Amino acid sequence: MIEIPARQEADTSMPTMPAAHPRGLYTLFFTEMWERFSYYGMRALLVLFMVDKVRGGMGLTDEIATSIYGLYTAAVYLAALPGGWIADRLLGAQRSVWYGGILIAAGHFTLVIPRTETFYLGLSLVVAGTGLLKPNISAIVGELYPEGGARRDAGFSIFYMGINLGAFIGPLICSTLGEKVNWHYGFGAAGVGMVLGLVQYRLSRQSLGTSGLHPGQQKPLNGLERAGLFCGVAAVLVIVGLSVAGAVRISPVVLARGAKYVIAAMAAVYFICVLLFFGLDKTEKRRVAVIVVLFVAAVLFWTGFEQVGSSFNLFADRYTARHLGWFNYEIPAGWFQSLGPIFVITLAPVMAAVWVRLARRNLDPSIPVKFGLGLLLLAAGFLVMTAAARLVAAGHKVWPTWLINTYLLHTFGELCLSPVGLSSVTKLAPRGLVGQMMGTWFLATSLGNLIAGLIAGGFSADAVEQMPARYFQIVIPPSMAGVLLILLAKPIKRWMAGIR
């Protein structure tokens, strides 16, 4: 998945290296590359390990495993909110990245221990570490180029390549070890990758200078902040401690269903408060309303797109012919997780060039049209999966080309929606609320991931005949939303009041 930092408009062309801070950018490039290596490498194994009953896996049902997966990926995005606050008020971005990387590595090495209690502890550590590292390493990139402009865009474009390079390599290595040798070796490889990133970061950290060195707000914590911090840390420690000790047993499915409503309610309450109580003028209110529309569209998109680590991963493992006859080798199912990142790396410059050419002819699609196209491409990918599922329901294994074509369509959809969404929120948000709006925007990704895990639980190996209908059900909502966005593009553009 594309992960472009907040407050920046993506420039996905192939830029030249900015001359101002090349060493600092290289430091962050390789740190993020290894972090994404570990995250995507472990993610490629997670559901397969949880459902495995033969090779030392957890032996969970598909529904429970995919619910845990949805909770985990949703928590990663939610953790970015307190992670950004900790950097702004306590540690500074540089130290947050360092401590976050340590927590991530500790989490992966905890997953090496073959015990159920340590499994959940390991996931919790990875979530906490990613929440500290992910938003703050992006913030440091921005601080390297305080002058803004083309240099900053070029720096972020290079940094973004590191994200997808790590996401491409991680599943290849971790899946090979995990599926072919031992699951826990794969988790260990993810931890080693993060350690390499930490070593590189520590050795070259001086190249960052003062960028992100100090907290953004130097004033002491007020009483409310201190109380909130204490209660939050205490609650997390108590819940994790009781879970590890086995004193509390929480149903992942029930928790995921409840969390879905909590996250949706958080977003709804925030948007209502902004519209009613923040003193916005008519134009600002209309622009916030457009953000709400884009928020809902983004939830629908990530709900489908994030089947990649759950139902698609199981489909690759169980129903896809992966044997290379010439080499007498079966491709690990997790290798398919590398398709999205490599498609992004190769296609992003192409898509950027297409938008530029259309703009020169005054044909550049508007933001709602791009969102609509992204949703329709997502739906097209699920039509491909519906056809593949019909072959599976008839008793056949299918060629890898079905999954490859699906990932290709979904990558085109992602390139239409993800960078456009991040950029549009920074433009549409009222002045002084950009940071809050971006935090709320990531709730859409979190909510989409959570719902994706719940939906994936319906693809049971015991009900293969229902698979075509279930995939087709995912086609309908994004298709309707995509068509609606395109049809309503003109009135939505009017509410954007000149924002392009």
Side-chain angles (χ1 to χ4, degrees):
M1 153 167 74
I2 292 180
E3 297 181 61
I4 300 176
R7 304 192 183 115
Q8 302 300 323
E9 185 171 356
D11 176 6
T12 51
S13 60
M14 295 297 291
T16 57
M17 173 63 68
H21 307 280
R23 292 183 180 178
L25 184 59
Y26 276 132
T27 295
L28 301 177
F29 175 96
F30 287 109
T31 303
E32 180 68 355
M33 184 193 77
W34 285 115
E35 189 275 329
R36 292 291 88 181
F37 170 97
S38 65
Y39 176 78
Y40 280 89
M42 187 271 276
R43 196 181 77 156
L45 299 175
L46 193 55
V47 170
L48 299 179
F49 165 72
M50 286 191 285
V51 301
D52 175 59
K53 300 178 182 179
V54 179
R55 297 180 48 248
M58 298 179 70
L60 302 177
T61 65
D62 289 3
E63 184 179 27
I64 293 176
T66 55
S67 293
I68 293 172
Y69 172 84
L71 284 166
Y72 164 70
T73 53
V76 164
Y77 286 96
L78 281 179
L81 302 179
W85 180 87
I86 289 171
D88 285 341
R89 301 292 280 119
L90 299 173
L91 299 177
Q94 285 194 25
R95 283 188 289 273
S96 295
V97 169
W98 172 250
Y99 292 127
I102 292 174
L103 286 174
I104 291 170
H108 288 303
F109 289 132
T110 302
L111 290 169
V112 174
I113 304 171
R115 293 183 61 85
T116 301
E117 297 85 355
T118 54
F119 172 77
Y120 294 110
L121 176 61
L123 290 184
S124 300
L125 289 170
V126 173
V127 167
T130 307
L132 274 176
L133 185 148
K134 191 68 185 146
N136 295 309
I137 195 170
S138 301
I140 300 174
V141 176
E143 289 194 32
L144 287 176
Y145 304 95
E147 72 280 3
R151 285 189 187 278
R152 181 181 288 187
D153 288 344
F156 270 114
S157 294
I158 293 170
F159 177 73
Y160 141 80
M161 291 299 176
I163 291 174
N164 285 282
L165 182 60
F168 167 67
I169 299 173
L172 298 179
I173 295 177
C174 295
S175 290
T176 302
L177 289 172
E179 295 183 48
K180 297 296 183 181
V181 184
N182 185 287
W183 294 116
H184 299 286
Y185 287 4
F187 295 135
V192 170
M194 190 66 254
V195 169
L196 291 175
L198 284 169
V199 170
Q200 179 275 148
Y201 180 75
R202 195 68 179 183
L203 292 177
S204 59
R205 185 174 170 181
Q206 68 277 4
S207 66
L208 300 176
T210 60
S211 298
L213 183 60
H214 303 292
Q217 300 182 39
Q218 300 291 333
K219 61 182 180 181
L221 299 180
N222 58 44
L224 182 60
E225 288 176 319
R226 290 179 183 274
L229 179 62
F230 175 79
C231 293
V233 172
V236 170
L237 290 176
V238 169
I239 293 172
V240 172
L242 291 175
S243 300
V244 171
V248 175
R249 296 192 177 276
I250 303 172
S251 168
V253 179
V254 173
L255 183 60
R257 289 172 180 168
K260 172 182 66 175
Y261 295 111
V262 170
I263 296 174
M266 287 170 58
V269 168
Y270 175 75
F271 283 125
I272 290 172
C273 288
V274 168
L275 290 170
L276 296 181
F277 306 117
F278 278 52
L280 304 182
D281 60 32
K282 185 177 181 180
T283 298
E284 289 174 326
K285 287 182 178 180
R286 286 184 171 182
R287 288 175 176 172
V288 171
V290 173
I291 292 178
V292 174
V293 172
L294 300 182
F295 178 95
V296 174
V299 171
L300 284 174
F301 182 83
W302 297 121
T303 295
F305 187 90
E306 284 301 326
Q307 296 299 315
V308 61
S310 49
S311 71
F312 286 0
N313 209 9
L314 293 172
F315 189 95
D317 181 57
R318 295 169 178 171
Y319 312 118
T320 302
R322 297 177 281 116
H323 197 271
L324 295 177
W326 297 330
F327 302 100
N328 194 28
Y329 182 76
E330 187 176 50
I331 297 172
W335 280 22
F336 288 90
Q337 303 280 305
S338 293
L339 289 172
I342 197 62
F343 283 151
V344 167
I345 291 172
T346 55
L347 294 176
V350 176
M351 291 290 287
V354 169
W355 299 140
V356 170
R357 289 189 178 183
L358 289 174
R360 287 173 180 169
R361 300 178 181 179
N362 203 27
L363 296 173
D364 187 28
S366 64
I367 290 172
V369 170
K370 287 179 179 177
F371 263 65
L373 291 174
L375 288 168
L376 290 176
L377 286 164
L378 177 78
F382 279 102
L383 279 176
V384 174
M385 289 304 297
T386 301
R390 287 175 178 168
L391 294 174
V392 171
H396 308 289
K397 280 199 170 186
V398 299
W399 287 102
T401 47
W402 293 97
L403 277 173
I404 292 171
N405 288 328
T406 297
Y407 283 127
L408 181 61
L409 287 167
H410 285 188
T411 299
F412 276 121
E414 180 186 5
L415 290 169
C416 286
L417 184 141
S418 182
V420 174
L422 287 166
S423 176
S424 63
V425 172
T426 63
K427 298 174 183 177
L428 292 166
R431 183 173 299 177
L433 296 180
V434 176
Q436 294 180 37
M437 285 290 176
M438 284 310 309
T440 307
W441 180 255
F442 284 114
L443 286 180
T445 309
S446 179
L447 182 57
N449 275 267
L450 191 58
I451 298 173
L454 290 170
I455 290 175
F459 292 91
S460 173
D462 299 325
V464 177
E465 70 282 355
Q466 298 177 11
M467 190 186 301
R470 290 192 177 277
Y471 274 129
F472 187 73
Q473 286 174 358
I474 305 177
V475 172
I476 299 172
S479 297
M480 295 176 63
V483 170
L484 195 61
L485 279 170
I486 293 172
L487 292 177
L488 297 178
K490 288 186 177 180
I492 291 174
K493 282 180 64 178
R494 285 198 296 269
W495 277 42
M496 292 166 62
I499 298 296
R500 294 178 59 85

